[in-house]
């Protein structure tokens, strides 16, 4: 049985979709601690987004009544601005889109928790488009996938929340394919895992909602392998950790859904260790991503307020965001995941 807050989040996403479908306003009061709300639209340059210099946001719900959507924004987007593109509609086969990613060719990947599938879209895909590939079926061992990451060879790493496992697929996998490797078993300490990230050495970082922990595995770990280290305990401030990212220096960034914070752990952190930095005033944060300059992007939503993205400067510690993407024009609702390229 899925843990309760998943269904609470799903219900909130459906409610947001219903509100928009009835012509209702999504301009609810935003949490003041996130910074000054920008109610005016800002003009931004499209550039070559949605294949580069993009903020990619996955929504578990859609303002048009579908079961998921993906929105594209230029990296300098700010305020109540329209996305420059989006993937949405019945042909997309999106279903509670809980994670998004992009490979080296610009293909866009979506983890669909409600259908236990991974769908892949061509570079520049926009509108009600069919996926170019779909990973689905009993051989895949997917079970409510909630996190995805790609390594330098475009191998695909997937966390299955219901299956307490990590599965790895070769580039261009399609159909009912077997994974290259599976990480699962009692020794792994995986417990309702949600997010996944890889560091520069392809070590595997996983957030575990069931244990409020982070477990770290060696590159190429498989089977019932124990983690190299784990981060858990009261000092960590981890509470329903979901999205995760690791920068080039080894700092680990985690979105805490229940505590409405993002915490940052120093390289090599282990055990009951306090975070090195923290940013609070978020609202049901689900996803976290980094750009090459060390700025942090956090997607917020799937609660009882409108969704938004907060952008923080490199090294930010309890500081207001540099900017936010928020408002009805953004078409953000139940923003469960984020990726920056």
């Amino acid at each position: 049985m899925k843990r309760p807050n998943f269904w609470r989040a799903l219900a909130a996403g459906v409610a947001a979709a219903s509100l928009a479908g009835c012509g209702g306003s999504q301009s609810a009061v935003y949490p003041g601690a996130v910074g000054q709300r920008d109610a005016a639209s800002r003009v931004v340059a499209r550039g070559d987004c949605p294949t580069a210099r993009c903020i990619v946001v996955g929504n578990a719900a859609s303002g048009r009544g579908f079961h998921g959507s993906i929105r594209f924004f230029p990296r300098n987007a700010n305020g109540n601005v329209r996305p420059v593109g989006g993937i949405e509609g019945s042909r997309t086969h999106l279903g509670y889109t809980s994670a998004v990613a992009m490979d080296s060719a610009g293909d866009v990947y979506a983890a669909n928790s409600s259908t236990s599938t991974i769908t892949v879209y061509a570079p520049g895909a926009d509108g009600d488009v069919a996926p170019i590939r779909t990973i689905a079926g009993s051989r895949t061992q997917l079970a409510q996938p909630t996190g995805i990451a790609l390594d330098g060879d475009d191998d695909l790493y997937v966390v299955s929340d219901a299956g307490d496992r990590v599965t790895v697929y070769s580039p261009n996998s399609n159909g009912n394919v077997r994974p290259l490797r599976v990480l699962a078993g009692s020794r792994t300490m995986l417990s309702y895992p949600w997010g996944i990230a890889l560091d520069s050495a392809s070590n595997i970082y996983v957030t575990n909602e069931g244990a409020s922990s982070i477990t770290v595995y060696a590159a190429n770990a498989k089977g019932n392998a124990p983690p190299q280290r784990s981060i858990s305990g009261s000092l960590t401030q981890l509470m329903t950790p979901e999205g995760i990212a690791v920068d080039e220096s080894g700092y680990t960034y985690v979105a805490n859904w229940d505590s409405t914070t993002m915490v940052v752990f120093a390289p090599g952190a282990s055990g009951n260790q306090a975070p090195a930095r923290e940013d609070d005033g978020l609202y049901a944060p689900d996803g976290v991503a980094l750009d090459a300059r060390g700025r942090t992007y956090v997607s917020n939503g799937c609660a009882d307020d409108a969704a938004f993205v907060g952008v923080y400067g490199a090294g930010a510690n309890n500081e207001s965001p540099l900017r936010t993407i928020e408002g009805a024009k953004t078409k953000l609702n139940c923003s469960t995941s984020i990726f920056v390229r």
Side-chain angles (χ1 to χ4, degrees):
M1 177 65 70
K2 195 69 179 66
R3 75 249 179 278
N5 74 300
F6 176 93
W7 300 114
R8 178 174 58 183
L10 178 58
V14 172
S18 300
L19 177 64
C22 295
S25 171
Q26 293 187 52
S27 57
V29 176
Y30 286 69
V34 173
Q36 182 65 38
R37 183 180 178 190
D38 183 356
S41 176
R42 304 279 183 92
V43 177
V44 293
R46 178 182 177 114
D48 53 0
C49 181
T51 56
R53 294 195 292 275
C54 259
I55 302 170
V56 184
V57 184
N59 287 289
S62 163
R64 297 170 58 195
F66 301 117
H67 299 293
S69 64
I70 300 172
R71 309 292 186 199
F72 299 94
F73 300 89
R75 284 235 300 266
N76 62 343
N78 190 13
N80 188 14
V81 8
R82 291 182 175 87
V84 297
I87 299 172
E88 177 183 43
S90 59
R91 297 181 64 204
T92 68
H93 294 171
L94 293 170
Y96 196 92
T97 309
S98 51
V100 288
M102 192 180 292
D103 68 15
S104 59
D107 291 343
V108 177
Y109 292 66
N112 302 292
S113 185
S114 65
T115 57
S116 291
T117 65
I118 305 295
T119 47
V120 187
Y121 306 89
D126 190 34
D128 188 6
V129 294
I132 56 174
R133 291 182 277 118
T134 301
I135 302 174
S138 58
R139 292 181 180 179
T140 68
Q141 298 192 45
L142 294 172
Q144 294 181 356
T146 50
I148 51 178
L150 291 114
D151 66 15
D153 296 323
D154 283 339
D155 284 344
L156 175 66
Y157 293 68
V158 182
V159 157
S160 281
D161 181 79
D164 284 347
R165 68 175 68 102
V166 175
T167 47
V168 185
Y169 306 88
S170 60
N172 301 314
S173 287
N174 189 26
N176 191 8
V177 296
R178 298 184 188 278
L180 295 173
R181 301 191 304 279
V182 178
L183 179 64
S186 59
R187 298 179 66 203
T188 67
M189 298 172 61
L190 292 169
S191 178
Y192 291 117
W194 185 276
I196 187 169
L198 307 176
D199 66 14
S200 57
S202 292
N203 294 308
I204 305 165
Y205 294 64
V206 177
T207 54
N208 297 280
E209 289 194 322
S212 286
S213 69
I214 301 166
T215 44
V216 184
Y217 307 89
N220 297 319
K222 64 180 180 179
N224 193 10
Q228 293 180 317
R229 54 191 170 92
S230 64
I231 303 171
S232 65
S234 59
L235 295 179
T236 68
Q237 301 181 42
L238 292 172
M239 293 180 64
T240 318
E242 294 196 349
I244 185 170
V246 184
D247 69 17
E248 292 183 353
S249 299
Y251 283 89
T252 304
Y253 300 69
V254 181
N256 273 319
W257 197 91
D258 267 344
S259 65
T260 67
T261 62
M262 178 187 66
V263 290
V264 184
F265 294 96
S270 184
N272 190 12
Q273 183 168 336
R277 303 197 304 272
E278 177 184 1
D279 283 298
D280 58 16
L282 299 169
Y283 202 79
D286 287 288
V288 60
L290 303 166
D291 67 16
R293 296 176 62 181
R295 289 172 296 204
T296 311
Y297 301 70
V298 184
S299 59
N300 299 261
C302 281
D304 57 354
D305 210 340
F308 66 96
V309 170
V311 184
Y312 295 85
N317 188 18
N318 274 327
E319 298 175 14
S320 296
L322 301 173
R323 48 196 166 89
T324 58
I325 305 170
E326 53 184 330
K329 291 181 180 178
T330 67
K331 299 184 180 180
L332 294 177
N333 45 52
C334 201
S335 299
T336 51
S337 54
I338 191 165
F339 178 82
V340 177
R341 179 160 182 176

